[in-house]
Amino acid sequence: SQSAKLLARVSELEERQRWRSPQEELPPEDEMVLVIANGKIAENVKAVDAVMLASWAREDGWMLELYPETETGFEIRFWMPLPEFESG
């Protein structure tokens, strides 16, 4: 039925757009995601539950989009895939 299809689609979208713990699940390598970051991310810049863009790689760990030179001193609390946009 149409309502069953709609409920299945809503469930699928809710599952995709939820915050995930990096201790439980990591994003695909080199895929840009939303993150919630804490800690020192640059000289005189401290993040407190800051929503940012970042990517993760097995070799390099987390890389913040705005602060790619920052390698340590911050923690990623949660991450979420970026929403998909349908063209048209």
Side-chain angles (χ1 to χ4, degrees):
S1 78
Q2 183 68 14
S3 60
K5 288 179 186 177
L6 287 173
L7 285 173
R9 180 67 174 143
V10 167
S11 180
E12 174 189 324
L13 292 172
E14 285 177 340
E15 173 59 25
R16 177 157 169 75
Q17 294 310 125
R18 67 176 177 81
W19 290 107
R20 294 159 165 78
S21 167
Q23 286 76 34
E24 297 173 12
E25 180 183 0
L26 289 166
E29 280 200 83
D30 301 318
E31 182 177 307
M32 197 62 61
V33 295
L34 287 174
V35 298
I36 295 179
N38 282 324
K40 185 175 180 178
I41 57 175
E43 184 76 26
N44 299 319
V45 179
K46 182 178 180 182
V48 179
D49 289 339
V51 177
M52 310 177 84
L53 291 172
S55 60
W56 178 85
R58 186 173 272 85
E59 207 171 286
D60 302 320
W62 288 100
M63 179 179 288
L64 301 172
E65 176 73 9
L66 290 177
Y67 301 95
E69 68 285 349
T70 302
E71 296 179 2
T72 61
F74 66 92
E75 168 198 24
I76 301 299
R77 294 189 54 223
F78 299 99
W79 68 274
M80 177 192 299
L82 292 174
E84 294 178 4
F85 296 97
E86 296 181 21
S87 60

